[in-house]
């Protein structure tokens, strides 16, 4: 675009005096069309931003619900091993959903499910995650069922094993939280499957580039050498806004999903490995004395606390 401005300036200053027709356009069409151009660029950016905000809110809800499911499992289930088994599957959902919403070439689902156990140095003993057999079951799930959907199905089966009655309020609340995860997954899939119409994106970009290409012919007569800097400034502002809209149009490629999943996995590992310290239904809901040594066999408790901090 700067070369176009320089070419217009060179033509009018060096070739027009030799008898060639002046390369100039009236400024009025640009003044009138600038309003329409601003609406197009703003509407596109706002649409992209709405998609980004909705995706961010969905993943914020996934983080909160995952925490709640892990905590309530240990506080309400008397069999601590059943609660721990349930808590191993919760982080797998967020990582499976992340892989589902991104380019399959950017993530290995098997490796991500292994990472659902939390930090490798402390993913042993009570802090261990899914077994290789369970990971294989997710990979080899029935055709037509995506990975996060399969994980949620398994979570409901694990909830059945907790022994709550059909009308037990605790079961109702945990079922509701799983339903929230299903809603968040569906909302994310809706964003992923319905991008901004390609025709609208192309029309906005073409209109913007044509407007900027012709602009020097309207400004050169009044700005002279300043047309180059004016063109550069306007292009920087308008193309920058357009580029922001393009980047956030696909929010799952921009949002720090890996960081959110890592946080869920780490916190789940901490609760699994320190259930006795935190207090569970199996211990009567009372935490053990703070001075008692409940460090996992791997000795990684202090490291996990530092990560959470």
């Amino acid at each position: 675009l700067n070369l176009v401005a320089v070419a217009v300036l060179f033509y009018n200053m060096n070739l027009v005096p030799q008898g060639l027709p002046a390369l100039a356009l009236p400024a009025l069409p640009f003044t009138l069309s600038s309003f329409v151009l601003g609406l197009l660029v703003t509407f596109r950016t706002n649409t992209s931003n709405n998609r980004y905000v909705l995706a961010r809110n969905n993943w914020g809800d996934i983080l909160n619900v995952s925490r709640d499911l892990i905590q309530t499992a240990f506080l309400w289930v008397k069999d601590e091993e059943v609660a721990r088994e349930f808590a191993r599957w919760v982080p797998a959902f967020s990582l499976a959903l992340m892989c589902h919403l991104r380019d399959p070439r950017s993530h290995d689902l098997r490796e991500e499910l292994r990472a659902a156990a939390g930090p490798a140095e402390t993913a042993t003993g009570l802090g261990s995650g899914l077994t290789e057999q369970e990971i294989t079951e997710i990979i080899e799930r029935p055709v037509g069922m995506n990975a996060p959907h399969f994980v949620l199905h398994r979570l409901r089966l694990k909830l059945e094993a907790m022994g709550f009655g059909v009308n037990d309020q605790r079961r109702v609340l945990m079922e509701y939280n799983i339903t929230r995860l299903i809603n968040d997954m569906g909302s994310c899939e809706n964003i992923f499957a319905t991008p901004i119409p390609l025709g609208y994106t192309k029309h906005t970009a073409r209109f913007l580039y044509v407007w900027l290409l012709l602009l020097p012919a309207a400004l050169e007569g009044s700005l002279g050498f300043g047309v180059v800097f004016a063109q550069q400034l306007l292009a920087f502002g308008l193309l920058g806004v357009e580029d922001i809209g393009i980047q956030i149009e696909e929010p799952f490629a921009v949002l720090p999903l890996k960081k959110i999943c890592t946080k869920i996995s780490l916190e789940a590992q901490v609760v699994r490995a320190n259930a006795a310290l935190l207090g569970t239904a199996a211990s009567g809901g009372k935490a053990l004395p703070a001075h008692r040594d409940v460090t996992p066999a791997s000795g990684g408790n202090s490291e996990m606390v530092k990560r959470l901090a």
Side-chain angles (χ1 to χ4, degrees):
L1 293 176
N2 285 338
L3 292 178
V4 173
V6 171
V8 170
L9 184 64
F10 176 83
Y11 178 89
N12 286 337
M13 294 187 66
N14 295 278
L15 300 182
V16 170
Q18 298 180 17
L20 293 178
L23 187 59
L25 294 174
L28 183 59
F30 294 90
T31 303
L32 296 177
S33 61
S34 62
F35 177 73
V36 178
L37 179 62
L39 286 179
L40 282 173
V41 174
T42 302
F43 180 76
R44 169 177 166 70
T45 305
N46 285 342
T47 303
S48 298
N49 184 66
N50 290 338
R51 292 165 56 85
Y52 179 88
V53 171
L54 180 57
R56 183 194 63 188
N57 292 341
N58 287 337
W59 274 87
D61 192 56
I62 290 171
L63 173 61
N64 294 334
V65 172
S66 298
R67 286 170 168 168
D68 192 52
L69 283 172
I70 294 167
Q71 290 178 7
T72 52
F74 278 96
L75 290 174
W76 292 347
V77 181
K78 293 183 178 180
D79 190 335
E80 189 173 300
E81 188 53 41
V82 172
R84 186 171 287 108
E85 180 66 18
F86 181 85
R88 289 191 182 103
W89 280 86
V90 173
F93 167 73
S94 58
L95 284 160
L97 182 59
M98 177 187 69
C99 295
H100 179 57
L101 297 173
R102 286 184 169 177
D103 189 336
R105 295 170 296 181
S106 63
H107 295 282
D108 182 355
L109 179 57
R110 184 178 294 274
E111 291 300 322
E112 296 296 345
L113 291 174
R114 288 171 180 161
E121 62 271 17
T122 49
T124 57
L126 299 179
S128 61
L130 297 178
T131 65
E132 287 297 320
Q133 180 181 353
E134 291 170 329
I135 293 175
T136 301
E137 290 176 0
I138 299 175
I139 301 295
E140 299 177 356
R141 63 194 179 275
V143 177
M145 177 180 281
N146 58 53
H149 189 188
F150 181 83
V151 173
L152 290 177
H153 181 74
R154 279 303 177 87
L155 281 175
R156 289 197 186 276
L157 292 177
K158 301 297 179 183
L159 183 57
E160 287 285 340
M162 293 181 179
F164 295 136
V166 176
N167 297 321
D168 193 310
Q169 187 67 19
R170 295 170 297 180
R171 173 173 178 167
V172 172
L173 289 174
M174 294 186 74
E175 286 278 9
Y176 173 70
N177 276 334
I178 295 177
T179 300
R180 284 174 62 185
L181 292 180
I182 292 177
N183 292 338
D184 290 333
M185 178 180 69
S187 179
C188 288
E189 288 179 326
N190 185 42
I191 296 172
F192 181 75
T194 54
I196 296 176
L198 184 61
Y200 180 81
T201 300
K202 286 186 175 181
H203 178 71
T204 303
R206 290 167 180 169
F207 186 13
L208 178 58
Y209 274 102
V210 170
W211 194 87
L212 289 172
L213 283 171
L214 297 177
L215 185 62
L219 297 180
E220 190 276 333
S222 57
L223 296 181
F225 286 102
V227 68
V228 178
F229 302 103
Q231 169 83 336
Q232 186 174 18
L233 181 61
L234 289 171
F236 173 78
L238 293 173
L239 293 178
V241 173
E242 173 70 5
D243 183 60
I244 291 172
I246 292 174
Q247 290 186 36
I248 64 177
E249 178 183 349
E250 298 297 338
F252 304 114
V254 180
L255 286 169
L257 303 187
K258 182 64 175 178
K259 183 179 294 185
I260 297 174
C261 294
T262 300
K263 190 173 187 62
I264 294 173
S265 301
L266 174 60
E267 293 183 359
Q269 185 190 91
V270 171
V271 175
R272 292 195 306 267
N274 297 277
L277 175 64
L278 297 173
T280 64
S283 63
K286 299 178 180 179
L288 298 178
H291 65 273
R292 181 168 178 174
D293 184 11
V294 292
T295 304
S298 62
N301 185 53
S302 60
E303 179 65 23
M304 287 190 289
V305 172
K306 290 179 181 179
R307 288 175 181 267
L308 280 178

